[in-house]
Amino acid sequence: MPDIHPSAVVADGARLGDGVVVGPFCVIGPEVEIGAGSSLKSHVVVEGRTSIGENAQIFPFASIGHQPQDLKFKGEKSRLVIGRNALIRENVTVNPGTEGGGLVTEIGDRCALLAGSHVAHDCRIGHDVILVNNVMVAGHVTIGDFVIMGGGSAAHQFVRIGAHAFVGGLTGLENDLIPYGLAMGDRASLAGLNIVGLRRRGFEREAIHALRHAFRDLFGEGAGTLKDRVDAAATAHGGSPLVDEVVAFLRAGGDRAVCTPRAGEPGSRG
């Protein structure tokens, strides 16, 4: 059975799993579902058609599932889905989807949204993602597994961030960041590969070397369009899973351009 503090307001219809703890002054709406073992510390508000997986830890003054900050939103029945083992710290805000983005915002398992971070409408966030304090993720952003966004960084609307990428603190990311990429700067440039993250997660040396060579072919000095370079990298280094993932990401394309090294900077600082 849930453990609900007397000062909390839990609307009829809300579904709380076994062992859920609802602390003082929390408010939970009628269409909310919270998985077993989760804990809402105090002053947490969860509204809308929101589903939160098992063992979530949600800290004071988080606002989860309130209507999106999109002036086109007209009250459509959109959803917010958060996976298992979420860590949601103080003052975090997460919004559901809109009609223009598929009516759902999704956050995977084991994600950490640290104090003051914001996830806007229609975002798709993978598993094991960390948003450090005051990260701002605009609408329609896609973030792959194991991405880390440093404190105070921001992602522009419709940006794609590939798996295992790292966005430095205070970085403004306006364009797509390749998987395993490292973005830095107030207006982000591609500063190399996230080699530290690759090593920490146990990727083999041979796979990292292949990725380094492909990165230089893609973003180093030389002639040819990005498409030409992608094709050349696929031919030269195809068969390496990491390289294949970067090639697939670039070929898929998106609404934004690709984050590249600044002019005059080497394309292989990873």
Side-chain angles (χ1 to χ4, degrees):
M1 294 290 293
D3 179 3
I4 302 173
H5 192 275
S7 65
V9 178
V10 179
D12 292 341
R15 292 175 288 173
L16 307 182
D18 290 341
V20 169
V21 176
V22 181
F25 304 105
C26 294
V27 178
I28 299 176
E31 298 183 277
V32 170
E33 179 178 1
I34 300 177
S38 295
S39 175
L40 284 64
K41 305 302 183 184
S42 73
H43 299 85
V44 174
V45 179
V46 187
E47 286 287 354
R49 300 174 69 200
T50 296
S51 172
I52 300 174
E54 299 174 357
N55 300 316
Q57 302 291 312
I58 308 179
F59 283 73
F61 304 105
S63 176
I64 311 298
H66 273 293
Q67 72 180 55
Q69 298 177 104
D70 184 341
L71 299 181
K72 300 184 295 300
F73 182 73
K74 303 301 180 186
E76 54 265 28
K77 289 289 187 179
S78 59
R79 297 183 298 129
L80 168 62
V81 179
I82 299 175
R84 296 168 293 181
N85 299 297
L87 173 62
I88 300 175
R89 293 301 306 239
E90 296 83 355
N91 300 302
V92 166
T93 53
V94 187
N95 296 152
T98 67
E99 186 173 5
L103 295 172
V104 63
T105 299
E106 295 180 296
I107 298 175
D109 297 338
R110 299 174 302 277
C111 289
L113 280 58
L114 303 189
S117 56
H118 171 68
V119 178
H121 58 89
D122 304 298
C123 288
R124 304 293 197 277
I125 296 179
H127 303 305
D128 300 287
V129 170
I130 301 174
L131 307 182
V132 182
N133 298 43
N134 299 313
V135 165
M136 297 171 286
V137 180
H140 308 274
V141 168
T142 300
I143 300 178
D145 298 344
F146 293 102
V147 166
I148 299 175
M149 296 187 67
S153 62
H156 192 283
Q157 284 184 322
F158 295 99
V159 155
R160 299 178 302 143
I161 303 176
H164 296 272
F166 186 95
V167 180
L170 301 178
T171 293
L173 184 64
E174 297 176 299
N175 296 314
D176 291 350
L177 176 59
I178 60 169
Y180 313 102
L182 171 64
M184 304 286 286
D186 57 353
R187 286 294 180 264
S189 62
L190 183 60
L193 294 168
N194 183 17
I195 296 298
V196 173
L198 287 164
R199 290 172 175 163
R200 284 177 176 172
R201 295 185 188 112
F203 286 93
E204 295 181 356
R205 179 176 297 181
E206 292 77 10
I208 295 174
H209 284 332
L211 184 61
R212 282 183 185 269
H213 288 304
F215 184 89
R216 292 173 185 139
D217 289 348
L218 287 166
F219 300 107
E221 294 182 1
T225 65
L226 181 58
K227 180 182 182 303
D228 293 336
R229 293 179 178 219
V230 169
D231 292 342
T235 299
H237 311 288
S240 168
L242 307 190
V243 175
D244 290 347
E245 187 175 352
V246 173
V247 167
F249 180 92
L250 291 170
R251 283 177 170 168
D255 293 285
R256 308 294 297 174
V258 175
C259 185
T260 59
R262 292 191 195 281
E265 290 186 354
S268 55
R269 260 180 52 193

